[in-house]
Amino acid sequence: MKITFFSAKKYDIDSFTKANLQYNFELEFFETHLGPHSIEMLQNADAICVFVNDKLNRQVLEGLSKKNIKYVALRCAGFNNVDLDAARELGINVCRVPAYSPEAVAEHALALIMTLNRKTHKAYNRVREQNFSLQGLMGFNLNEKTVGVIGTGKIGAAFCRIMLGMGCKVLAFDLMVNKELEAAGVEYLPLIELLQQSHIISLHCPLNEQTTQLINHQTLSLTQPKVMIINTGRGKLIDTKAVIEALKNGHVGYLGIDVYEQEEKLFFKDLSTEIIQDDTLQRLMSFPNVLVTAHQAFFTEEALNEIADITLQNVQALSQQKPQAVAKALLA
Ligand code: NAI
């Protein structure tokens, strides 16, 4: 069984090579992303392993089918980048890693909040230049602030627990109520009320038709002045242009994003010597109250080890015709 990897970085090669000691698959790694241009690189592979910004549309899936690819293993949780109907029609199994260290992402959301609030990124640079002034570094106590969590699945639930621990009042909106969180003190409300009452809003729902541009002109108009918006979900959960307007007029007080609408052209690459053509991202990065990280919320040692192990386990179960063993991971 040969698995060909796309968008593979050194840390992927390291974690998968280590996990593969248990499985003994033949692994082949390409740094390039998967797209119509890279299908010809496939040589006798049975499965491919891809990441968040590899686009598996119908054209790409048809190309994979012609190359006899039977399994697509996503080494991530989100799957908005795959045309699952096309995969089903072509008889290609698609699996993902439904859960891996949700705390990794939830803790990164907290890191975004704490950095934006207490400005540790500015303090770090200032002190190194022997500037010990506190001017401009004032934050606010998180204790007793109201935090609205949209999507209380695995990551949202971990984030709720963290924010309860910080002494916050935690409000939630989800299609399903998590009774354990409710018992722990989380209050489920309709979306409108959550937007109206929260000082901080954190997005942890998947990207789908209902959630695309959930944060837009209209929903922003309901939020508290100086609201802090945190997005570690997917870039398209936010209408970036609407948020830029709200940042310019001061209604949005802070924005922390680990994901961005057009990230596939930028994230995971070193573009430090290039001219960035994306004016929207450049505008975002020009605000002093905006913090952008490049899809790193998942990036902990524990999470990478789990991702590698679960991905290979998924491929093994599928290749041994045991789809029920990976039912939770199987998308098509
Ligand atoms: P999950 O499937 O456990 O939870 C998603 C929750 O969102 C569920 O409770 C679901 O009922 C809820 N939901 C679905 N539609 C909704 C709607 N219209 N409104 C409100 N809630 C809705 O997923 P998990 O593992 O918690 O991940 C959440 C998202 O986080 C993923 O879909 C992915 O996009 C993103 N993610 C980001 C990472 C990063 O590194 N930045 C890493 C991993 C995931």
Side-chain angles (χ1 to χ4, degrees), residues 77-80 96 98-100 102 105 150-156 173-176 203-208 210-211 214 232-234 258-259 295-299:
F79 52 90
N80 50 287
R96 64 172 177 143
Y100 58 89
V105 182
I150 300 180
T152 54
K154 289 170 288 295
I155 295 169
F173 172 71
D174 196 306
L175 308 178
M176 290 178 311
L203 306 177
H204 299 288
C205 54
L207 178 68
N208 57 34
Q210 288 79 47
T211 60
L214 186 101
T232 57
R234 283 290 179 267
D258 185 54
V259 285
H295 210 132
Q296 73 173 77
F298 74 100
F299 198 52

Side-chain angles (χ1 to χ4, degrees), residues 273-320:
T273 57
E274 312 270 320
I275 306 296
I276 303 288
Q277 300 297 327
D278 186 326
D279 293 346
T280 309
L281 184 72
Q282 293 297 73
R283 182 67 184 104
L284 268 184
M285 292 195 301
S286 73
F287 292 100
N289 51 351
V290 171
L291 178 59
V292 181
T293 55
H295 210 132
Q296 73 173 77
F298 74 100
F299 198 52
T300 66
E301 194 180 331
E302 292 82 354
L304 285 190
N305 289 340
E306 274 183 68
I307 289 170
D309 191 40
I310 296 169
T311 304
L312 296 182
Q313 215 174 295
N314 288 343
V315 175
Q316 186 175 57
L318 290 174
S319 68
Q320 292 175 347

